[in-house]
Amino acid sequence: MTKPTIELWLELETRCNLHCKFCFNYWKDGSASPPRRLQSREFLLCLERLLKVVSCSKVTVSGGEPLLRENLDEVLALLRTYGTPVILTTNGVLLNPLKIDWLMRAGVQTFQLPLHSADSATHNFLSGGDCWKNTISALIDLIEAGANTVPVFVATGLNVSHFLGVLRACSAIGIKTFIFNRFIPTGLGTIYKNSIGVPTEPMVWKVLREANILAEQLDLEIQLGTPVSVPNGERNAFTRIGLASCPVGHGQRRWTMDTAGNLRRCNQSGVQFGSLLEGAEEALLREVVGAYSQRSHTQGMNHCGILAQQGLIQIST
Amino acid sequence: MNDKNPAFAKEAFARLCASEAEGCPPSQADTNILAAWKSTIRSIPKIVRLLTRNCMYDKADD
């Protein structure tokens, strides 16, 4: 039988060497403990249980900071065994030319690095550490190595207007693809949301309209990482922006696996679907087989449930 | 000065970002350094770039 295909967000590490004020790790606000870190052998066992029943069209290795994980090499080797494309989301602090070369040889195809402003002070403030120079250095090292490099911009009330500057600056070093994540106040973001601000939809629309014009001029692509409700009649105007839709729901194709071997539906929520130590892969298989082929035709645009719950978006009926 | 040296590219990129943050145009010297450096770098095939979409979200239907 052909295995169903999913995409996996792999939380490989709970620890981080930065303290981003918008961090969405659900335990960062102190309301919950972080998922426990399984020993290497157990973690690999869980991952392999999942890979045996589903194909992953891509795995995004994340955290925390995934480069802090001591057995990253074993995880990448396992993913390579299954021929899975790997995206690494890292803050870039620990990258250097040797590490980049090693990661690319180990199968990492795309590197996603945060860049929240061309202004060092703004980037450092949002990142909770003096890391802007590391990011600038890592971006050059990645491009020098021929790595597919994608800056990730988290749009808060503080920096949303800085997105155009990030596009212009990165375009000068040949970067073509960007991710724009609207800030969703979960995790540490719930603590800092008043100081960094949650951009309103009109603020986001304004920047995205301008970004689309700039992207056309500079031949860039922008992918939204979190859903944005585009006003009626404007979707076709976003020629360079890939809109996003919340995947959460029965038969969903995107799943999160954490350091404890738990499967979750949403990487911004701690709600567990089940543990791979206890056979959650079978439940996932039952759900996705047959369900998502139907879903793919009816999906449309789903809003972010977290933003809706917090009253941060207006959903027209 | 070797314009193809990544160390110079890093410095030029940092200065270019600072100019951007101040709302100023980049200096011609920095633009030239980055252009020279870029000319030594192979481009990323589009098929690889298409693998970059954020994993957790579906693409919204048009």
Side-chain angles (χ1 to χ4, degrees), chain A residues 20-280:
Chain A
C20 297
K21 291 181 169 60
F22 48 76
C23 177
F24 61 78
N25 287 151
Y26 66 85
W27 61 89
K28 290 284 182 70
D29 65 357
S31 65
S33 300
R36 71 186 177 105
R37 294 171 80 252
L38 294 179
Q39 295 298 311
S40 296
R41 191 183 60 79
E42 280 182 302
F43 184 84
L44 292 169
L45 178 72
C46 287
L47 181 56
E48 184 148 33
R49 280 182 178 174
L50 184 61
L51 294 172
K52 279 181 176 172
V53 300
V54 296
S55 293
C56 289
S57 57
K58 55 191 168 189
V59 171
T60 303
V61 176
S62 181
E65 171 49 52
L67 294 180
L68 291 173
R69 181 78 186 199
E70 60 280 356
N71 69 330
L72 175 61
D73 56 340
E74 294 177 309
V75 173
L76 293 177
L78 179 60
L79 293 171
R80 194 166 196 170
T81 301
Y82 284 84
T84 306
V86 174
I87 298 169
L88 183 71
T89 67
T90 169
N91 58 40
V93 170
L94 297 175
L95 287 179
N96 58 48
L98 282 177
K99 177 81 83 174
I100 290 166
D101 181 62
W102 176 80
L103 288 164
M104 291 175 73
R105 289 175 191 273
V108 175
Q109 295 190 347
T110 294
F111 293 78
Q112 294 182 349
L113 260 73
L115 184 59
H116 309 304
S117 178
D119 173 48
S120 58
T122 302
H123 177 87
N124 288 339
F125 177 75
L126 288 171
S127 304
D130 188 6
C131 58
W132 184 82
K133 282 186 179 170
N134 299 82
T135 302
I136 296 302
S137 176
L139 287 170
I140 295 288
D141 286 335
L142 285 165
I143 294 166
E144 177 93 7
N148 188 31
T149 307
V150 182
V152 179
F153 179 91
V154 177
T156 69
L158 199 69
N159 70 328
V160 61
S161 64
H162 297 201
F163 185 49
L164 300 184
V166 167
L167 293 180
R168 277 190 292 265
C170 290
S171 173
I173 57 170
I175 291 175
K176 292 290 185 187
T177 310
F178 299 79
I179 291 174
F180 178 99
N181 282 344
R182 165 203 201 151
F183 168 46
I184 296 175
T186 55
L188 206 54
T190 59
I191 293 173
Y192 286 105
K193 68 179 180 183
N194 290 333
S195 61
I196 62 177
V198 185
T200 63
E201 297 218 302
M203 288 163 73
V204 173
W205 295 333
K206 177 177 184 295
V207 167
L208 290 180
R209 286 185 195 110
E210 293 169 353
N212 192 78
I213 293 169
L214 187 60
E216 285 184 341
Q217 293 168 353
L218 300 175
D219 188 24
L220 310 177
E221 298 169 28
I222 300 162
Q223 176 65 35
L224 300 191
T226 48
V228 173
S229 309
V230 175
N232 285 340
E234 282 207 41
R235 277 194 170 197
N236 291 339
F238 288 136
T239 55
R240 294 289 175 144
I241 297 177
L243 301 177
S245 178
C246 174
V248 174
H250 185 77
Q252 69 183 74
R253 289 199 311 150
R254 271 79 163 167
W255 293 84
T256 295
M257 175 183 157
D258 68 22
T259 54
N262 296 315
L263 288 177
R264 308 201 315 265
R265 290 185 181 276
C266 173
N267 63 354
Q268 312 228 4
S269 163
V271 177
Q272 293 172 14
F273 176 78
S275 168
L276 289 164
L277 290 170
E278 298 167 1

Side-chain angles (χ1 to χ4, degrees), chain A residues 7-8 60 87 109 112 136-137 141 143-144 146 148 150 165 168-169 176-177 221 223 225 227 235 243-245 247 254 267 299-300, chain B residues 6 9-10 13-14 16-18 20-21 34 37-38 41-42 44 46 48-62:
Chain A
E7 294 179 9
L8 186 64
T60 303
I87 298 169
Q109 295 190 347
Q112 294 182 349
I136 296 302
S137 176
D141 286 335
I143 294 166
E144 177 93 7
N148 188 31
V150 182
R168 277 190 292 265
K176 292 290 185 187
T177 310
E221 298 169 28
Q223 176 65 35
R235 277 194 170 197
L243 301 177
S245 178
R254 271 79 163 167
N267 63 354
Q299 186 177 325
Chain B
K10 289 177 186 182
F13 184 40
L16 185 141
C17 286
E20 182 62 53
L34 291 174
W37 170 76
K38 264 198 314 183
I41 307 299
R42 67 184 173 88
I44 309 294
K46 184 153 186 168
V48 176
R49 286 201 277 124
L50 288 175
L51 285 169
T52 59
R53 290 205 167 116
N54 189 326
C55 183
M56 265 316 289
Y57 287 87
D58 287 332
K59 186 177 184 303
D61 292 346
D62 290 330

